[in-house]
Amino acid sequence: MDGEDAHHRPSSSSSSGGPFLSGLCAAALRRKPISARASAAASGEGLVRQLGVLELVLLGIGASIGAGIFVITGTVARDAGPGVTISFALAGAACVLNALCYAELASRFPAVVGGAYLYTYAAFNELTAFLVFTQLMLDYHIGAASIARSLASYFIQFLELIPSVKGNVPSWIGHGEEFFGGVVSVNILAPILLVILTVILCRGVKESSAVNTFMTTLKIIIVIVVVFAGVFEVDVSNWSPFMPNGFKAVVTGSTVVFFAYVGFDAVANSAEEAKNPQRDLPIGILGSLLACVILYVAVCLVITGMLPYTLLGEDAPLAEAFSAKGLKFVTVLISIGAVAGLTTTLLVGLYVQSRLYLGLGRDGLLPSIFSKVHPTLHTPLHSQIWVGCVAAVLAGLFNVHALSHILSVGTLATRLYQLV
Ligand SMILES: NC(=[NH2+])NCCC[C@H](N)C(=O)O
């Protein structure tokens, strides 16, 4: 990798041998010449092109539809009323603008891993790119841990449906055994789930994509069934007034529901594994986002039409709305949808992280071990195992509450950076 690294770094800025500080500044301010890197990637030293357009669209949807739609809808609807639909449409429109930028950049630099990190490196400089990476990693590492913790709780809840098991599952298995006044909350199920997903990801991009395709299709079907089951329960009088607390509450709501769209950018990181990146990456990015906008808006219309917005629950609004109408089977479907949703956001999140580590390892910004790709599996094994371990340690020691505090700061900082 070192030879290649030297090859793609601009010699003018780094070879002068001048004072240490000016060398450092020059390094921090250099940009990435994409063409050289692209030809190195194209020479076939690692990842393989296995993903078609459908797999890319499902990758984006897999990363985006998590628990957000099942939870945030109710939280926001309590303020914005049925206008939460407009909140989702507004946030969706903002994301479409963002996605158009991603689509344009992804088709310009199609053959290199890296997504936002790569684009910042090419447009600004190495320092900015590295900062983008650190913030993305803060978000992804902590995000992966908290999603794994939520998944573990879901599994324990399913297990406790068995009468003889109910109340007998030790808390260190899934819910967390608390120490130091609740600062540390130890459990083993979340790390086990992370190990399983890491093994799948290490086996190959085709295998990981197959799991994602299956789970994502399942959750899309569930969301569609939920919408159709709900349509027959809609009472249009629940939609008026549409914005009980005015447009301001709707706009405020759109800043919260933005979270539900986070994920479509994952597609940009599969540039080196897409069969026809120049054409398929933009389709994958925009296609997955548009699918989410349609599904989310439909869910919002249905849920706010089913019950007066004041009666929507805060924790599991969608499930509660259906049990209030006596549709228990839909409630079960929603739980399965949430588990599938969490699993795919976790899977794709871990996938994206490893490709980012790979990109930085190749660029010499991280130790070269991260740049290694397994010769037969064609996956960045070291990077993948590393991101799995970090998430497993965090998920093994902290609960969602502790993790989400750190995550909010990370996500906000990341998005601010991207705006700049
Ligand atoms: N990188 C992240 N923060 N990913 C979290 C994705 C959350 C996903 N959009 C959801 O609604 O659940």
Side-chain angles (χ1 to χ4, degrees), residues 8-57:
H8 76 263
R9 284 178 175 215
S11 53
S12 58
S13 57
S14 50
S15 61
S16 64
F20 175 72
L21 263 185
S22 62
L24 203 66
C25 283
L29 296 178
R30 66 187 155 208
R31 284 193 200 174
K32 186 176 174 106
I34 292 301
S35 51
R37 188 66 201 84
S39 60
S43 70
E45 53 184 41
L47 303 178
V48 276
R49 301 198 173 278
Q50 303 239 17
L51 304 177
V53 69
L54 182 66
E55 281 144 329
L56 290 172
V57 172

Side-chain angles (χ1 to χ4, degrees), residues 78-168:
R78 289 163 74 93
D79 265 336
V84 64
T85 316
I86 302 178
S87 305
F88 267 96
L90 284 177
C95 288
V96 167
L97 296 179
N98 194 228
L100 283 169
C101 299
Y102 267 100
E104 168 70 24
L105 291 165
S107 69
R108 273 199 216 177
F109 313 127
V112 193
V113 290
Y117 153 77
L118 164 76
Y119 308 148
T120 327
Y121 202 164
F124 300 105
N125 51 48
E126 190 169 297
L127 180 64
T128 320
F130 191 75
L131 288 172
V132 165
F133 165 78
T134 52
Q135 285 156 2
L136 277 173
M137 278 308 117
L138 180 66
D139 172 47
Y140 272 121
H141 279 310
I142 298 166
S146 58
I147 297 172
R149 268 312 267 259
S150 310
L151 255 184
S153 296
Y154 262 106
F155 278 116
I156 298 296
Q157 278 171 29
F158 279 138
L159 212 63
E160 288 186 333
L161 291 177
I162 306 168
S164 58
V165 174
K166 196 170 165 53
N168 291 331

Side-chain angles (χ1 to χ4, degrees), residues 314-383:
E314 199 147 353
D315 288 341
L318 213 54
E320 284 165 33
F322 279 95
S323 34
K325 293 282 177 185
L327 294 168
K328 272 270 177 228
F329 82 96
V330 184
T331 316
V332 176
L333 274 185
I334 290 170
S335 299
I336 299 173
V339 168
L342 289 171
T343 310
T344 55
T345 44
L346 184 53
L347 184 78
V348 179
L350 292 169
Y351 164 82
V352 169
Q353 287 178 66
S354 68
R355 272 49 181 181
L356 276 169
Y357 271 97
L358 171 67
L360 271 93
R362 282 173 173 176
D363 289 344
L365 295 180
L366 285 178
S368 63
I369 187 150
F370 289 114
S371 68
K372 293 199 186 331
V373 174
H374 192 275
T376 51
L377 300 172
H378 300 290
T379 52
L381 215 58
H382 298 84
S383 299

Side-chain angles (χ1 to χ4, degrees), residues 202-286:
C202 286
R203 282 196 56 85
V205 69
K206 198 78 195 156
E207 287 78 355
S208 326
S209 161
V211 174
N212 179 61
T213 299
F214 172 73
M215 299 282 249
T216 303
T217 310
L218 179 71
K219 76 181 165 187
I220 295 175
I221 293 173
I222 289 178
V223 174
I224 293 173
V225 171
V226 166
V227 169
F228 275 98
V231 159
F232 297 101
E233 302 293 329
V234 167
D235 173 359
V236 286
S237 68
N238 288 329
W239 284 335
S240 61
F242 202 72
M243 291 186 271
N245 293 320
F247 192 61
K248 191 163 173 273
V250 168
V251 176
T252 311
S254 68
T255 59
V256 181
V257 304
F258 177 74
F259 174 80
Y261 290 109
V262 173
F264 59 86
D265 54 305
V267 181
N269 292 286
S270 43
E272 248 178 86
E273 283 153 304
K275 283 182 193 154
N276 184 358
Q278 201 129 20
R279 190 200 64 173
D280 293 351
L281 288 182
I283 300 178
I285 293 168
L286 284 164

